[in-house]
Amino acid sequence: MAYTSIDAKTLQRSFLCGAYNLSNQKEYINELNVFPVPDGDTGTNMTLTIMSAAEEVAKFENPSMDQLAKAISGGSLRGARGNSGVILSQLFRGFCKGIKGKDKLGISDLVSAFNHAVDTAYKAVMKPKEGTILTVARGIAEKADDLCETDLVEFLEQVLTYGEEVLDSTPDLLPVLKEAGVVDSGGKGLIEVLRGILMGIKGQEVVLEDKADASTLQSQHVSYVSGSGNDNISTADIKFGYCTEFIIMLDKELSDEEVMAFKEYLLSIGDSLVCVADEDFVKVHVHTNHPGLAFEKALGYGSLTRMKIDNMREEHSERVLMEKEKARAKEQEEAFKQMKLKKLTPKKAEKPKKYGVVAVSVGLGMNQILKDIGVDYIISGGQTMNPSTDDFLSAIDEVNAENIILLPNNKNIILAANQAASVTDDKNVFVIPSTSLPQGISAMVSFAADATPEENIASMNESMQMVKTGEVTYSVRDTFIDGKTIVKGNIMGISDRGIDAVGKDIAEVTKELIASMVDEDAGLISLYYGNDIGMDEAEKLKEELEEVYSDLDVDLHQGGQPIYYYIVSVE
């Protein structure tokens, strides 16, 4: 049977097949990570992104095309993790703009949607790099433009075949891929999504193999600590007793006047309001005595999802909120590997302060260091598990400040932070593009509470640029990269330039790495030891470094980070 078009029901089933197929291939995609470190996570990030959208898509019994477009676009945007996940969400976002208002999708509609997808994704990346998922997506769109097929299945088969050819060519466009002997992992993920979609259109079944990913379709969402967790507040002082959170999937985009009217209504029945409006959804946090009234008003704008109500008086008086939060977070990490936001200071139900700082961190020691130098909230995450756009939005919601500074502290998290900042319109949000925890720490040291936002952004950016960062970890596979032959299990010292040291001894590799980072301008070496390194072992290394670099200061800190034996910085 020849297909000339697909309806919304077919698109729903096919999109879910695409999500499931990506999930089933995620570990293979993770293995395509160029560096043989134990945290290759492209497949995981892309899977968490698309499964966030799949969860919304699966809720419909008989969806319209517009409902699917909102579910795919909004769900993937909120769930986007890592650079690959954010770019995938932008591809979906553009594609969904191209299918709005359609009852069925023919080949010409898909061609237009593919082009919308590529345009949107390229605009979202400040410096697009060829040989990546963007190259594969553009190749797919260009091939679709050239085809003259009348059967939709044949059309998609040819598009997929050409996409695989473009993927195979990515090592020729990006030398680091050729040296490592792999294709681009993000591009491979996109191909697997398209392959699954094609299987769905053909009527083939794609079974979701990962139980953790399956559980996201019946997800319990991470909740965040509310003001009731402050032990110094009496329950009698809690004017509005229910911390109420929800997301409205809009039937149509709200005007500025409608958003303002909605906010005014919510303030008339509560306080501590944070309301973030996008063209497809509105995210709401409010303290009220009448959650039902908030829900009822919101239903006038669209359908509700991710609804959560916490009785702050009850939870405060029973002193169980923190334990409940820890249990929820543990379940999330084990079940569907999502991040939770750890609150470091209680939110004040009073006039917002001038600044609030949100930082991504991992390790109890690192968390405490950031807290001690002024960070208000920590989002748990990092290289091994990138926080999502929604994690940043929730953090922004929780910070009671006019100006919010985000420190992603990882190059793979910057896009998600930028995406969150771009859809927040009720607070001033600034992203300091820190690529490592030492950079984030240096940026915070230069922060001044009495300076203007412009002055702080300039000084924080300047300060972090003075920091060189290195990491010491182990190899998970044999490879040849950066001119070095690496065997599985080798210890590697990785700097901003690449892999600078390889060996079998952690301390020796760390010293070799630092030697490659120290220059005539260096004045300080900082060592942050991970949870696999003992204090005595770290102290011994510090003493050895002090002997070699007697004219430099050497600082030692307990970082407590996983996977990385040491994180080092030179400045």
Side-chain angles (χ1 to χ4, degrees):
M1 175 182 174
Y3 281 93
T4 57
S5 65
I6 58 173
D7 58 16
K9 190 67 177 178
T10 302
L11 178 62
Q12 179 190 36
R13 183 182 66 250
S14 302
F15 180 81
L16 292 176
C17 286
Y20 297 167
N21 195 58
L22 174 61
S23 172
N24 294 343
Q25 298 297 321
K26 68 176 182 290
E27 293 303 331
Y28 174 77
I29 295 169
N30 284 340
E31 287 297 318
L32 294 176
N33 186 43
V34 169
F35 286 103
V37 294
D39 56 16
D41 53 5
T42 299
T44 299
N45 284 336
M46 295 183 75
T47 296
L48 289 170
T49 300
I50 198 171
M51 292 304 290
S52 179
E55 180 185 356
E56 301 298 329
V57 168
K59 291 178 179 178
F60 297 108
E61 290 196 13
N62 293 293
S64 67
M65 202 68 75
D66 283 357
Q67 286 174 322
L68 288 182
K70 290 178 181 178
I72 294 170
S73 178
S76 61
L77 182 149
R78 291 190 304 275
R81 297 173 186 268
N83 292 344
S84 55
V86 171
I87 293 172
L88 182 64
S89 76
Q90 291 300 314
L91 287 169
F92 288 150
R93 191 174 179 83
F95 181 88
C96 289
K97 287 180 181 178
I99 67 173
K100 282 184 177 179
K102 309 288 185 181
D103 292 325
K104 293 186 176 182
L105 300 178
I107 291 176
S108 62
D109 298 317
L110 291 176
V111 170
S112 175
F114 286 160
N115 284 306
H116 274 293
V118 172
D119 289 343
T120 301
Y122 266 89
K123 288 176 182 177
V125 181
M126 291 185 64
K127 295 180 180 179
K129 183 180 292 186
E130 296 305 328
T132 66
I133 182 175
L134 291 171
T135 304
V136 177
R138 192 183 70 239
I140 287 172
E142 291 174 348
K143 182 65 174 180
D145 264 332
D146 292 341
L147 292 175
C148 300
E149 298 296 326
T150 57
D151 180 79
L152 190 142
V153 170
E154 291 181 5
F155 164 77
L156 288 177
E157 285 177 338
Q158 291 197 45
V159 166
L160 176 61
T161 298
Y162 186 74
E164 290 173 322
E165 293 175 4
V166 175
L167 176 65
D168 289 340
S169 73
T170 55
D172 297 325
L173 300 173
L174 206 55
V176 69
L177 295 176
K178 174 166 282 189
E179 187 179 24
V182 296
V183 296
D184 179 67
S185 54
K188 175 63 174 176
L190 180 61
I191 289 296
E192 293 308 322
V193 172
L194 185 57
R195 192 190 314 280
I197 289 173
L198 177 58
M199 293 169 70
I201 291 174
K202 289 180 175 181
Q204 300 172 6
E205 184 178 9
V206 179
V207 178
L208 187 59
E209 298 171 358
D210 193 315
K211 293 181 180 179
D213 290 339
S215 69
T216 64
L217 298 179
Q218 301 153 356
S219 174
Q220 302 172 20
H221 297 280
V222 177
S223 58
Y224 301 96
V225 180
S226 65
S228 58
N230 188 345
D231 292 336
N232 297 319
I233 298 176
S234 166
T235 56
D237 294 330
I238 301 176
K239 182 178 179 181
F240 298 102
Y242 296 96
C243 178
T244 305
E245 298 179 12
F246 56 91
I247 293 174
I248 311 170
M249 301 302 296
L250 296 172
D251 291 335
K252 63 180 182 67
E253 184 176 0
L254 299 183
S255 66
D256 292 341
E257 291 76 16
E258 286 175 314
V259 173
M260 183 57 65
F262 181 47
K263 290 180 179 180
E264 289 175 352
Y265 174 78
L266 292 174
L267 285 174
S268 73
I269 62 170
D271 67 4
S272 298
L273 172 66
V274 180
C275 181
V276 181
D278 186 42
E279 61 181 19
D280 297 321
F281 65 88
V282 178
K283 185 176 178 64
V284 175
H285 168 282
V286 65
H287 293 177
T288 178
N289 289 328
H290 304 285
L293 293 179
F295 290 152
E296 188 67 29
K297 184 71 173 179
L299 284 168
Y301 302 116
S303 59
L304 304 188
T305 183
R306 304 198 178 187
M307 295 173 286
K308 180 177 75 71
I309 302 173
D310 285 332
N311 185 329
M312 294 189 291
R313 295 187 183 97
E314 178 183 8
E315 290 179 343
H316 176 85
S317 62
E318 294 178 359
R319 299 173 59 86
V320 298
L321 182 61
M322 293 305 294
E323 289 303 316
K324 181 178 180 181
E325 186 64 20
K326 290 177 182 177
R328 286 179 180 175
K330 183 177 180 180
E331 181 179 356
Q332 289 291 315
E333 290 174 357
E334 294 175 352
F336 20 91
K337 301 178 182 177
Q338 294 187 5
M339 291 296 99
K340 70 175 278 288
L341 174 66
K342 292 186 177 178
K343 183 174 182 180
L344 295 182
T345 58
K347 182 179 176 180
K348 298 179 179 179
E350 54 188 45
K351 183 179 179 180
K353 60 181 182 178
K354 184 177 180 180
Y355 287 107
V357 182
V358 174
V360 178
S361 177
V362 61
L364 294 177
M366 287 295 193
N367 293 350
Q368 190 62 47
I369 291 169
L370 289 167
K371 177 182 176 181
D372 290 343
I373 59 177
V375 170
D376 295 281
Y377 286 83
I378 294 291
I379 299 179
S380 294
Q383 184 64 19
T384 55
M385 180 55 66
N386 300 154
S388 68
T389 299
D390 200 37
D391 288 328
F392 280 106
L393 287 174
S394 296
I396 293 167
D397 287 356
E398 290 291 323
V399 175
N400 190 27
E402 296 174 355
N403 302 290
I404 310 297
I405 295 175
L406 304 181
L407 293 168
N409 295 335
N410 186 289
K411 64 181 179 181
N412 205 35
I413 300 174
I414 294 172
L415 281 182
N418 286 336
Q419 186 158 267
S422 71
V423 299
T424 302
D425 58 6
D426 57 347
K427 295 182 181 181
N428 301 315
V429 182
F430 305 93
V431 178
I432 303 296
S434 50
T435 60
S436 68
L437 279 161
Q439 278 198 349
I441 291 169
S442 179
M444 273 306 300
V445 170
S446 67
F447 169 78
D450 57 350
T452 66
E454 292 74 19
E455 289 170 339
N456 267 322
I457 299 311
S459 63
M460 294 174 79
N461 272 296
E462 182 180 357
S463 179
M464 75 174 188
Q465 294 302 325
M466 305 299 291
V467 179
K468 299 177 183 178
T469 302
E471 299 164 325
V472 180
T473 186
Y474 59 92
S475 172
V476 295
R477 68 171 184 269
D478 297 348
T479 190
F480 181 82
I481 190 170
D482 290 343
K484 293 178 173 62
T485 299
I486 300 171
V487 177
K488 181 179 179 180
N490 277 167
I491 306 301
M492 301 180 298
I494 306 171
S495 73
D496 299 326
R497 299 184 300 270
I499 299 177
D500 282 350
V502 178
K504 297 182 179 180
D505 183 84
I506 295 172
E508 292 303 316
V509 169
T510 305
K511 287 187 284 187
E512 186 179 343
L513 170 66
I514 292 172
S516 73
M517 297 168 62
V518 171
D519 57 23
E520 60 184 12
D521 296 323
L524 172 66
I525 298 171
S526 297
L527 280 174
Y528 304 88
Y529 62 95
N531 59 16
D532 291 323
I533 298 294
M535 181 183 297
D536 292 343
E537 184 180 354
E539 289 282 1
K540 180 181 177 183
L541 176 59
K542 176 179 182 290
E543 292 172 1
E544 292 173 352
L545 290 171
E546 287 175 330
E547 290 182 8
V548 176
Y549 304 101
S550 57
D551 56 336
L552 304 182
D553 292 326
V554 180
D555 286 346
L556 178 66
H557 308 275
Q558 182 183 18
Q561 69 273 4
I563 293 182
Y564 292 91
Y565 302 117
Y566 289 100
I567 294 176
V568 304
S569 67
V570 175
E571 52 189 304

